[in-house]
Amino acid sequence: MTRILAYRFSAFGDVAMTVPVFREFLEQNPGVEIIMVSRKNFEALFAGISNVTFKGIDLDDYKGLFGLRKLSNELIREFNPDCIANLHDVIRTKVLDRIYRRKGLKVFKINKGKEEKEHLTDVWNLEKVQLKKTVERYADVFREMGFRIELSHQLRPVSEQKSGIGFAPFAQHKGKMLPLEKSYELVRILAQKHTVYFFGGGKKETETLEKWEEEIPNTKNLAGKLNLTEELNYIAGLELMISMDSANMHLASLVGTRCVSIWGATHPYAGFLGFGQSEEDVVQVKDLSCRPCSVFGDKECYRGDWACLEEFNIQKVVDRVNF
């Protein structure tokens, strides 16, 4: 049994995207075990995948060079891996890589395609092309180790009984999120024919969605009421999820639920469309040559008018839902 120590500490959606890759890789390579090291609160993402052991850590316990050295020693003592898969490639994981190489371990790391993505998000670049999907970049790490893996890019429904529509109107950055008045109007239209369930995170988001639940019949707020396992189970039972380019799109992929995704400053060309999700279910303002101006949606609009969001037509989402 080959034991691979893999790490990816954030962001939530990017960690979630490793799950279908692990599942299909281990099905095709049954003589392999993966130790996945990530933040403790991500553990539920990996439940039920055979040959994956999740090691949850608190990064505050391993600050600085001495902390990372302590972490590397603990992981070697506990798991004695054969090789390392760095699925993050940030300063913290680069330090870990260096420590492991000094210990004689072979280290393989993701190629995030930074230069390609910089070119893609150059607002003066008018020749936008699809870049390699992030899940394929994860799979490439295992291919470099000498393993064979072919990703299916197919959804696997967890539940046969599906009803209702999920809606996650929030995202971490403004460039990824529809103006709330547009999201509100979208829900009002959809709730005339469907039960709509709200998903969200923080206190302010929960307060907004509770207000919407009171004002719009046939809606139910789930924000702030579910742990991650419960949220995944709920999404598995939905007929459809509607999400920004954010973590809920990837959660839908994990449980095989179709997702209509909304994109503003970002674009599926950067490789972050949910695993198995259809490009036909991507809704965006197509005729803006400045898109995408950002990989993560964290930049200010260089035009100043956020046309990618302000000009967004919610009827296109309604059409995809009723397709």
Side-chain angles (χ1 to χ4, degrees), residues 205-272:
E205 295 179 9
T206 301
E207 288 173 355
T208 298
L209 295 176
E210 284 174 349
K211 187 167 178 283
W212 289 10
E213 180 186 31
E214 291 174 7
E215 295 175 356
I216 307 174
N218 211 22
T219 63
K220 182 173 175 58
N221 172 46
L222 299 176
K225 298 179 180 179
L226 308 174
N227 62 34
L228 181 53
T229 299
E230 292 167 337
E231 186 170 347
L232 285 165
N233 289 338
Y234 232 106
I235 294 172
L238 294 172
E239 185 180 342
L240 173 79
M241 171 62 91
I242 301 171
S243 173
M244 309 299 121
D245 166 23
S246 64
N248 281 280
M249 170 177 60
H250 302 297
L251 296 185
S253 286
L254 295 199
V255 293
T257 294
R258 176 188 165 211
C259 181
V260 173
S261 53
I262 293 169
W263 301 69
T266 61
H267 197 292
Y269 279 179
F272 292 101

Side-chain angles (χ1 to χ4, degrees), residues 155-166:
L155 292 176
R156 295 190 192 184
V158 171
S159 173
E160 294 180 7
Q161 301 295 321
K162 287 183 170 287
S163 65
I165 291 175

